[in-house]
Amino acid sequence: MGIVFMKILGEKIRHYRKLRGISQSELADGICTQATVSLIEKKDKIPSMKILVRICERLGITMNLVIVNDDSQIYSIISEIKKLFYQDDYDGIVAKLDKLKDININNKQEIKLIHFFSGLVEYEVEKNYDKAIFDFNRAMNVNIVSVDMYDILINIYTAKAYVNKGSDDEAKVYYDQSKDLIKSSVEKINDENYRDSILIYANMSELALELGDNESVIEYANEGIYIARKEQSLFKLDSMYNYMAEAGTKDGQKSDEDYIKAYVISSISGNKNVFDTLKSKISKMSLNIFNN
């Protein structure tokens, strides 16, 4: 059995003590020393269970209000990692993953996500595509019956890693699997957190572009754009318009409007990577972004 980690939230002990209008000495009276209460509040010092129970009784609160165990701590960290993923903050993800190193994790879904995000760091930050594929495969091998959004993203990113290795044949295997998963899960995708849904469609349109499947680029980008518009969100909208423009250009179509939409949205959303790329491209194309 692994070690069970528990953390006490000293600030909450202090909050409820102040709320009751009692001093540290009054809280400690007959239970422990005032110094112990001070260490709990200021340093998150974990007392004996007997002391903690009596302190909570005196404050009139339950222990679950002031302690965090493995499960809730892991859930909280993974939730923070997901938010950082939406922001493309991979350095932030590294810091959060580091916090999970010494915690015993038994939940299969959480294990799968940790492997995925570890692979994501290797892919986005380290550019170590072999290690990324290794981590993504570890995520795939976690035996969970039902398919969720991250199963699709794991397949997509595995394909993208193979593309970056120059192994298009292997990439197409995972790309086709991703297409099948999306087709069989379309209702679930549209019912999920809209950011997760958009991530799937944006990444699939990018992957399709890299593999020369221009028809699918437009199909997936349009799905993602529809969700973004419905949610009145700019999330990944500039990237999806950019992928559509690139696919249209490759097919010999006039894609000025999509390039301009991507450029304008990236300037509003502050997506510097997309903005800088499109600024140079639009300049070379001599497009007037103020034309109707």
Side-chain angles (χ1 to χ4, degrees):
M1 181 179 293
I3 299 171
V4 176
F5 287 81
M6 185 177 75
K7 178 181 178 182
I8 190 164
L9 304 174
E11 180 58 35
K12 283 202 169 185
I13 294 283
R14 181 175 182 275
H15 167 76
Y16 287 112
R17 177 177 63 78
K18 292 278 190 180
L19 200 63
R20 303 292 183 266
I22 60 177
S23 67
Q24 288 185 344
S25 296
E26 288 170 329
L27 178 58
D29 187 32
I31 299 175
C32 59
T33 65
Q34 184 269 333
T36 298
V37 173
S38 179
L39 285 171
I40 292 170
E41 290 186 356
K42 294 180 180 178
K43 302 289 186 180
D44 293 333
K45 174 74 174 177
I46 300 176
S48 70
M49 190 57 65
K50 181 179 178 181
I51 289 174
L52 182 58
V53 168
R54 293 187 66 190
I55 285 175
C56 288
E57 285 176 348
R58 184 160 291 174
L59 291 172
I61 60 175
T62 56
M63 281 201 301
N64 67 327
L65 288 174
V66 296
I67 62 172
V68 178
N69 60 22
D70 277 355
D71 290 341
S72 56
Q73 190 174 3
I74 294 164
Y75 176 84
S76 176
I77 292 173
I78 289 178
S79 295
E80 290 169 0
I81 289 173
K82 288 180 179 180
K83 291 176 184 176
L84 293 167
F85 182 28
Y86 299 149
Q87 299 163 9
D88 296 326
D89 184 355
Y90 301 108
D91 290 334
I93 292 174
V94 171
K96 295 297 180 184
L97 286 173
D98 193 56
K99 289 187 176 183
L100 294 171
K101 284 183 178 177
D102 296 324
I103 300 179
N104 184 51
I105 303 171
N106 296 308
N107 182 286
K108 287 184 177 181
Q109 178 68 12
E110 290 169 346
I111 292 170
K112 179 179 77 174
L113 289 175
I114 290 167
H115 288 321
F116 169 67
F117 287 120
S118 297
L120 191 67
V121 167
E122 295 294 338
Y123 178 88
E124 296 285 0
V125 180
E126 303 298 334
K127 311 299 182 187
N128 186 339
Y129 303 117
D130 286 323
K131 180 63 168 61
I133 290 167
F134 174 76
D135 286 329
F136 295 148
N137 276 308
R138 290 182 74 188
M140 288 181 201
N141 289 332
V142 177
N143 186 21
I144 299 176
V145 176
S146 60
V147 174
D148 66 14
M149 301 301 95
Y150 281 89
D151 291 301
I152 302 173
L153 284 169
I154 290 164
N155 270 275
I156 294 171
Y157 270 94
T158 303
K160 289 172 70 173
Y162 275 117
V163 167
N164 280 281
K165 278 169 54 68
S167 305
D168 284 5
D169 288 343
E170 287 85 350
K172 286 174 182 175
V173 172
Y174 289 97
Y175 174 57
D176 288 340
Q177 287 180 9
S178 301
K179 292 176 81 170
D180 290 341
L181 283 171
I182 290 171
K183 190 179 294 184
S184 63
S185 308
V186 65
E187 289 185 9
K188 184 185 289 187
I189 292 172
N190 293 333
D191 286 339
E192 283 292 324
N193 178 309
Y194 76 88
R195 289 185 180 87
D196 291 338
S197 304
I198 290 172
L199 278 172
I200 287 172
Y201 289 126
N203 278 286
M204 272 301 276
S205 57
E206 181 186 21
L207 177 58
L209 182 66
E210 290 171 336
L211 292 174
D213 185 1
N214 295 328
E215 184 177 341
S216 292
V217 174
I218 295 169
E219 175 189 345
Y220 290 123
N222 273 325
E223 290 287 349
I225 289 166
Y226 171 78
I227 294 171
R229 284 176 171 172
K230 185 175 69 172
E231 298 293 335
Q232 298 183 324
S233 170
L234 296 179
F235 184 61
K236 300 295 180 184
L237 198 55
D238 47 6
S239 295
M240 291 184 289
Y241 274 118
N242 186 39
Y243 301 144
M244 286 180 64
E246 292 287 337
T249 299
K250 286 184 177 181
D251 278 347
Q253 300 171 14
K254 189 173 177 61
S255 301
D256 296 3
E257 185 177 342
D258 287 332
Y259 278 125
I260 292 170
K261 285 179 181 177
Y263 174 77
V264 172
I265 293 167
S266 67
S267 70
I268 295 169
S269 64
N271 190 339
K272 192 173 186 305
N273 290 335
V274 175
F275 179 79
D276 288 346
T277 299
L278 288 169
K279 184 177 181 180
S280 174
K281 184 181 289 290
I282 286 172
S283 177
K284 289 176 182 177
M285 295 170 67
S286 300
L287 296 182
N288 183 353
I289 65 170
F290 300 106
N291 282 343
N292 292 325

